[in-house]
Amino acid sequence: MKPSRQKQLVRNVAWVGIMAALVAACGSDKSDSDTTTPTPDAYQVDIRRTTGGVPHIKANDYASAGYGLGYVWAEDHACTMSGRWLTTGAQTAARFGANGPDFPFDLRNGNLASDLYFQKLIDQGWLDQLLADQGPTGILPEVRELVRGYVAGYNRYLKEVDYKLPDERCAGADWIRPITERDLYLNAAFWADMLTAVHNEFSGFLAAVPPGTQKDAVRLSAAQRAALPAPKILASNMVALGKDATRDGTGMVFSNPHWEWNKADGMVAAHLTIPGKLNVNGMTFGASPVIGIGHNDSVGWAATSAGATITNGVRYRLDLVPGSPTSYLVDGKRHEMVPTTVTVQVRGADGKLSPYTHTFYETLFGTVSASTDRPWTAAHAYTWKHSPLKVSGLNMWHLYSQAKTVQDIHAADKATLGVAWINSTAADSQGHAYRSMPNPLPYVTDAMMSDCAIANGILDGSRTQCAPVQDDSAIFPGIFPSDQIPYQFRDDYVYNANDSYWITNLRAPLEGYPSLYGKEKTVLSNRSRGGLEIIEQRLQQTDGLPGKGFTLEQFIGQLFDGRDYARTWLPELVPFCQSLTARADAPAQLPQACAALAGWNGSYLLDDKGAVLFRRFLENSKITPAWYTVPFDANDPLNTPRGLNLSDEVRLALYAAVNDLTRHGIALDASLRGYQHRTVKGERIAVPGGAAFLRMNTGPFQGQDGWEAISGSSFIYWVEMTPQGPRGKQIQVQGQSDDANSPLNTEQTRLFRDGKYLDIRFTEAEIQADPKLTVKTLKAQADGTF
């Protein structure tokens, strides 16, 4: 971005408390090797760990803070992250073959497809171009320093253990290597932009070969994978309260991302302090050098996935020139696809490496992508036009850490549009709440979506008017201008549990935004309805609790009381169950099952009797609109649809649940304590939660062994932003380390099992008072020697 364009951006954004820093950054035209922050002669940092292994990193400059964070990330996660560095370095197929093992990669599309895409970025110099931008859409100077230090700290740990990681999953691995700043930036781009639709498209890009070209087994399998439904990004809940919803007129934030455990994109607690410059606590996303969800002394923020409600790209169909499958027609004029040929190394079954070459084809409407459903024929090709690849998410979260009010959070969102697939909320110490979608989506209006539609969401690529609009006010080419993102300021509450932006607040629905951001006037999930019920009952004082508005203790207790909104079926389900007991086809144990359902309190805490039976009932159900007696009403999204249609489908699901438990010797009134667990080194640690607001994602039901928890509630925190500073609780459900041999792997899981949470330790006094405090001081030269 040119300096003049950067200055225009800053003039157009209400920076409030961070304008001075951004003006300095955006006015720079230095090369990527220069920064406005002096480079220290050495790194020096104190790493203080408190109960649960939470790292509090204290330094005097950004590079040293990054040094400490990189060190602890390597200490706790180097094995898992080593797989990601192979991914971003386009080296996975060379190490593990075209498809590769499940660990340490979770790539749906296979190693080869991923390697080819990343190698394309590397060959094209994409990152080199990005590094030249030191403004909010590029890489801010402080972020560059954090990255530089992070890399040095991470590599220090590897040197200390001589690249022999204690994690048994990486025992003897010859692919543990030092990382570079480029690795960290490419990982940031993967996390912010490729984790959803772009990542899911890798196989489509690999399968895209012109008709008549030899198609080997790898490309055919890629086409088959590309035709599969895209997996949904994992879920999350978040609430931000303003002064009208809290007892003392403060702001409060609750964040509960339902995310991966022990994977490269994990969420891990950290606290960074640079006296006079930075004091931010929360969690980092997959090896990120900035706090993605957390709080400083004035503002707290959270995020959820919008991946289930938005598409961060648009698909087009091209009309090809007869006899020339790499030429296409736009407004009757011929255009040539632009080929980019990439070669990577692939390890065969015999262990030998061989080159694999693929050509990507770029068009005015994006990259050509193929699948069994969308083949590249002599007549047509299909493309995917996705959100811009960038790393400005690092800037966005760094600017959050500097914010004083929710207006500053909004300014950071508009200036960076940092992540293609998230929702964001925040609350400040002045009692204001905020919610937005800082997503850089292709500028395709609803009118275009209608006028250009061919079929199944595919647009016409033969007309210029169907291409994304180019607006000079947009911070990236071809995306919606920042002032069109959905957002809302409130003094009562804002909320999201992965549904559309539409119901951020029941009292003020958000309407009139482009449909690419999500749907309006549509059915909410039971999880969304459950959270809204909790908030509205407290505000209306119908929950039986004393006082008006939330106290912090009520905020914690109510939002994690384990309730499932589907419990609202019980008044109809229990009598229906009882009416079936006389039927000849009813299970013999049905009367006991009816009693168990009648006794269930409607929540998924560990000792709630009857929870296992109801959960199996839901799992055996194929719930559709036909299950309800009262249809959805957009004027009453909390209470509709409702009513249980007492049909044969409901009867059969109930029978199946009873038979499941009986067949496996499980008591019909069993609680989750004996049947839902996280297993570590053969030990089962019970964990609460279901498909509700307190969520636990599990593997399939395994009879007497119940459910194995594999993801779900991860880094959870509740914080109250008081005028005297933040106070609250947090917990890292899956543990601070993903090495099963580390004591930090299960310590917080056990606390979570027991319904306990860690105090947020934000001040020096709070840190020093922790009974398990340990301190490690690291020093190193600027060249990384120590």
Side-chain angles (χ1 to χ4, degrees):
M1 182 181 291
K2 296 179 181 179
S4 60
R5 177 71 182 90
Q6 295 170 357
K7 292 175 183 177
Q8 177 187 358
L9 171 63
V10 174
R11 285 198 299 268
N12 291 340
V13 177
W15 282 113
V16 192
I18 54 179
M19 177 180 280
L22 283 173
V23 169
C26 295
S28 172
D29 60 358
K30 296 181 180 180
S31 69
D32 64 285
S33 61
D34 296 326
T35 69
T36 58
T37 301
T39 300
D41 294 330
Y43 301 106
Q44 181 168 336
V45 60
D46 290 332
I47 299 172
R48 291 88 55 83
R49 287 192 187 256
T50 53
T51 301
V54 176
H56 303 262
I57 295 161
K58 186 177 182 181
N60 289 324
D61 55 78
Y62 283 101
S64 294
Y67 191 85
L69 185 57
Y71 184 91
V72 298
W73 251 97
E75 196 172 28
D76 294 342
H77 304 281
C79 178
T80 302
M81 284 309 304
S82 291
R84 175 53 55 78
W85 309 133
L86 291 179
T87 299
T88 58
Q91 300 167 337
T92 59
R95 291 288 182 176
F96 299 107
N99 294 311
D102 290 337
F103 176 80
F105 314 106
D106 54 353
L107 291 176
R108 163 180 177 262
N109 291 311
N111 297 338
L112 178 59
S114 170
D115 281 0
L116 288 166
Y117 190 83
F118 274 99
Q119 191 63 52
K120 173 175 175 282
L121 294 181
I122 294 168
D123 290 350
Q124 289 178 330
W126 166 80
L127 184 55
D128 297 293
Q129 298 173 34
L130 189 66
L131 286 167
D133 181 357
Q134 295 194 40
T137 57
I139 307 164
L140 292 173
E142 294 88 350
V143 174
R144 293 171 189 258
E145 288 295 285
L146 285 166
V147 168
R148 182 173 67 83
Y150 187 109
V151 169
Y154 187 99
N155 289 339
R156 172 180 178 147
Y157 174 78
L158 295 183
K159 291 177 184 177
E160 286 184 352
V161 299
D162 194 24
Y163 302 95
K164 297 178 177 63
L165 302 180
D167 192 321
E168 59 194 25
R169 296 173 298 173
C170 288
D174 63 354
W175 37 269
I176 309 301
R177 65 167 175 82
I179 65 172
T180 68
E181 294 178 31
R182 289 175 178 272
D183 287 318
L184 219 61
Y185 288 129
L186 284 166
N187 181 58
F190 181 96
W191 215 97
D193 304 310
M194 300 180 215
L195 199 57
T196 52
V198 180
H199 175 203
N200 298 331
E201 206 69 24
F202 285 175
S203 283
F205 298 149
L206 175 58
V209 294
T213 303
Q214 178 72 28
K215 293 185 176 182
D216 58 29
V218 172
R219 299 188 191 196
L220 288 173
S221 64
Q224 293 165 350
R225 284 195 298 270
L228 296 172
K232 291 183 178 180
I233 202 75
L234 299 176
S236 305
N237 307 321
M238 61 181 180
V239 179
L241 302 180
K243 58 187 177 182
D244 293 346
T246 62
R247 185 74 54 83
D248 297 328
T250 59
M252 294 186 190
V253 176
F254 165 64
S255 179
N256 179 17
H258 306 149
W259 205 248
E260 297 178 318
W261 294 355
N262 304 332
K263 296 286 184 70
D265 293 307
M267 299 179 173
V268 180
H271 177 198
L272 301 178
T273 302
I274 304 173
K277 295 181 180 179
L278 181 72
N279 195 8
V280 58
N281 174 69
M283 70 86 184
T284 63
F285 298 101
S288 172
V290 294
I291 299 297
I293 290 176
H295 65 91
N296 56 29
D297 58 359
S298 301
V299 183
W301 60 91
T304 63
S305 163
T309 60
I310 68 168
T311 300
N312 63 7
V314 182
R315 199 175 301 284
Y316 288 91
R317 190 189 73 183
L318 305 180
D319 291 344
L320 303 182
V321 175
S324 181
T326 60
S327 305
Y328 59 103
L329 297 171
V330 181
D331 300 332
K333 296 181 180 179
R334 178 173 178 149
H335 293 261
E336 301 299 325
M337 296 179 183
V338 179
T340 301
T341 299
V342 174
T343 299
V344 299
Q345 297 295 315
V346 180
R347 187 176 299 275
D350 59 1
K352 295 181 179 179
L353 295 178
S354 60
Y356 189 96
T357 298
H358 176 71
T359 299
F360 293 84
Y361 291 90
E362 306 295 338
T363 77
L364 297 173
F365 296 89
T367 308
V368 179
S369 176
S371 71
T372 53
D373 295 335
R374 298 179 302 276
W376 189 346
T377 67
H380 300 292
Y382 296 84
T383 65
W384 179 250
K385 183 70 171 178
H386 55 71
S387 299
L389 297 181
K390 61 195 175 347
V391 296
S392 60
L394 298 178
N395 292 344
M396 183 179 77
W397 287 313
H398 174 63
L399 294 174
Y400 282 11
S401 74
Q402 305 293 310
K404 298 299 182 185
T405 69
V406 293
Q407 290 286 349
D408 294 343
I409 300 290
H410 183 52
D413 284 347
K414 292 177 66 177
T416 62
L417 295 182
V419 182
W421 51 272
I422 69 164
N423 302 285
S424 180
T425 58
D428 59 31
S429 58
Q430 299 177 26
H432 304 301
Y434 165 73
R435 183 261 205 263
S436 76
M437 294 183 71
N439 314 133
L441 303 186
Y443 195 166
V444 178
T445 67
D446 287 0
M448 293 166 64
M449 293 292 290
S450 176
D451 296 342
C452 297
I454 293 177
N456 300 323
I458 297 173
L459 304 186
D460 186 356
S462 70
R463 292 185 285 159
T464 302
Q465 67 190 58
C466 297
V469 177
Q470 302 294 318
D471 189 311
D472 288 342
S473 67
I475 64 173
F476 299 106
I479 68 164
F480 285 102
S482 297
D483 59 7
Q484 293 196 39
I485 64 171
Y487 72 93
Q488 191 170 39
F489 290 99
R490 296 287 299 183
D491 283 346
D492 49 4
Y493 71 90
V494 292
Y495 168 82
N496 186 260
N498 302 117
D499 275 325
S500 161
Y501 62 81
W502 175 50
I503 298 297
T504 290
N505 183 298
L506 272 173
R507 303 161 187 220
L510 280 172
E511 296 179 354
Y513 288 93
S515 62
L516 279 185
Y517 287 101
K519 296 181 179 180
E520 299 173 4
K521 300 184 178 181
T522 189
V523 176
L524 302 179
S525 70
N526 277 344
R527 183 159 51 89
S528 288
R529 294 164 77 184
L532 287 166
E533 177 187 64
I534 292 169
I535 297 168
E536 286 290 339
Q537 286 182 349
R538 178 82 290 260
L539 298 191
Q540 297 170 26
Q541 298 177 257
T542 59
D543 55 8
L545 296 177
K548 181 179 180 181
F550 284 96
T551 64
L552 178 62
E553 292 69 29
Q554 291 171 342
F555 195 44
I556 295 170
Q558 290 298 96
L559 287 173
F560 249 37
D561 66 3
R563 73 179 72 181
D564 183 350
Y565 194 79
R567 77 192 189 288
T568 56
W569 279 338
L570 288 175
E572 295 148 301
L573 182 61
V574 171
F576 180 57
C577 179
Q578 294 167 341
S579 73
L580 298 173
T581 57
R583 288 180 58 120
D585 62 353
Q589 297 79 14
L590 190 60
Q592 297 96 307
C594 299
L597 290 173
W600 181 49
N601 67 359
S603 70
Y604 289 117
L605 300 180
L606 277 180
D607 295 313
D608 293 335
K609 290 188 174 183
V612 172
L613 177 62
F614 191 79
R615 178 165 176 178
R616 282 305 290 157
F617 165 67
L618 291 182
E619 290 178 345
N620 282 297
S621 305
K622 304 297 181 184
I623 300 172
T624 68
W627 274 60
Y628 298 95
T629 57
V630 178
F632 172 67
D633 181 352
N635 294 315
D636 189 10
L638 177 59
N639 300 302
T640 62
R642 68 174 182 271
L644 184 62
N645 183 6
L646 304 177
S647 63
D648 276 346
E649 287 81 2
V650 175
R651 175 178 60 85
L652 293 174
L654 184 57
Y655 284 5
V658 174
N659 289 331
D660 280 347
L661 270 61
T662 302
R663 182 168 58 254
H664 294 292
I666 301 173
L668 291 168
D669 66 348
S671 70
L672 289 175
R673 182 172 292 276
Y675 298 99
Q676 181 169 271
H677 38 73
R678 176 189 175 209
T679 303
V680 180
K681 298 184 76 66
E683 179 190 2
R684 291 179 175 176
I685 305 172
V687 288
F693 208 62
L694 171 57
R695 186 180 181 93
M696 197 57 59
N697 300 322
T698 67
F701 179 65
Q702 298 293 328
Q704 184 62 37
D705 291 334
W707 295 274
E708 179 69 21
I710 57 177
S711 66
S713 293
S714 50
F715 174 82
I716 307 164
Y717 92 111
W718 301 262
V719 67
E720 181 179 15
M721 307 307 304
T722 78
Q724 293 75 40
R727 69 184 190 101
K729 300 282 188 178
Q730 68 182 55
I731 194 77
Q732 183 78 41
V733 175
Q734 76 276 28
Q736 189 67 26
S737 170
D738 63 18
D739 179 357
N741 294 313
S742 169
L744 302 183
N745 181 256
T746 59
E747 182 177 357
Q748 294 189 59
T749 307
R750 299 177 197 280
L751 290 171
F752 181 72
R753 172 197 60 194
D754 298 337
K756 298 178 181 178
Y757 313 113
L758 300 174
D759 291 327
I760 289 178
R761 297 188 179 274
F762 191 70
T763 67
E764 283 297 311
E766 290 166 343
I767 294 169
Q768 295 299 324
D770 188 277
K772 293 187 176 182
L773 176 67
T774 63
V775 181
K776 176 185 287 189
T777 299
L778 300 179
K779 297 180 180 180
Q781 299 303 311
D783 62 3
T785 58
F786 56 91

